Amino acid sequence: MATMIKFRAWDKATSSYRKVLEIEFYPDGELKKVKVAGLQRKGTITPDKLVLEQFTGLKDVNGKDIYVGDIVKTWSDVSELTMVPSINEIVSEDLFGTPGMFLKPLRAHFIEPCLHDYWSNQFEVIGNVHTDSELLEADK
């Protein structure tokens, strides 16, 4: 089954997520405007008014889509050893600016592992960076 490229938009004005219907870019590739559900005036919003977050192509243990900006609990299910679950933020580039989907651990690590390298791990979305940022402060 093919993975669909999709986005969600965090509306800064209303502090809520909106469904993205259409994205428009300038010829140089810069984001021009986004059409979202639930807005008056043709539903378009300028990029400075929102945070666009991409779907990772993965679902959590409850079947929920995982997006950049989500906070996930991660653990392994293939080892006989009990692994302590860890809390990670989903980010769209590593420490060196390489684009991709990465886990950003709470504690500083040299390199965040690529999200898709975690085929043996389980993920559970427990929040997002906009409404649950206190989850990223835990254990510091």
Side-chain angles (χ1 to χ4, degrees):
M1 183 168 103
T3 301
M4 179 198 287
I5 297 174
K6 58 184 176 179
F7 295 85
R8 67 182 182 190
W10 177 257
D11 185 330
K12 294 177 185 178
T14 63
S15 295
S16 63
Y17 279 108
R18 298 204 178 268
K19 181 179 179 180
V20 174
L21 303 174
E22 187 178 311
I23 302 172
E24 188 176 334
F25 295 91
Y26 289 106
D28 66 0
E30 186 177 339
L31 187 60
K32 182 176 183 180
K33 61 184 175 180
V34 180
K35 185 175 181 181
V36 296
L39 280 185
Q40 305 274 335
R41 296 179 358 261
K42 298 183 183 176
T44 58
I45 190 167
T46 57
D48 62 320
K49 305 259 191 284
L50 59 81
V51 178
L52 203 57
E53 299 172 342
Q54 187 174 356
F55 175 50
T56 64
L58 299 174
K59 294 186 178 284
D60 79 352
V61 294
N62 300 310
K64 185 174 182 176
D65 291 349
I66 302 174
Y67 284 83
V68 168
D70 279 339
I71 300 169
V72 295
K73 183 173 17 173
T74 308
W75 67 95
S76 177
D77 67 344
V78 296
S79 174
E80 291 183 20
L81 301 173
T82 303
M83 289 186 63
V84 176
S86 64
I87 306 298
N88 301 270
E89 178 185 347
I90 305 297
V91 295
S92 61
E93 60 182 40
D94 69 9
L95 291 173
F96 305 108
T98 306
M101 297 296 165
F102 298 90
L103 292 170
K104 181 179 179 184
L106 284 182
R107 292 187 183 89
H109 289 318
F110 184 62
I111 296 178
E112 298 94 349
C114 178
L115 185 60
H116 291 280
D117 289 344
Y118 272 79
W119 60 270
S120 64
N121 283 7
Q122 297 290 317
F123 303 98
E124 180 180 13
V125 174
I126 59 172
N128 67 72
V129 296
H130 307 290
T131 60
D132 305 296
S133 60
E134 73 279 356
L135 293 172
L136 298 173
E137 314 253 331
D139 231 13
K140 280 192 173 180

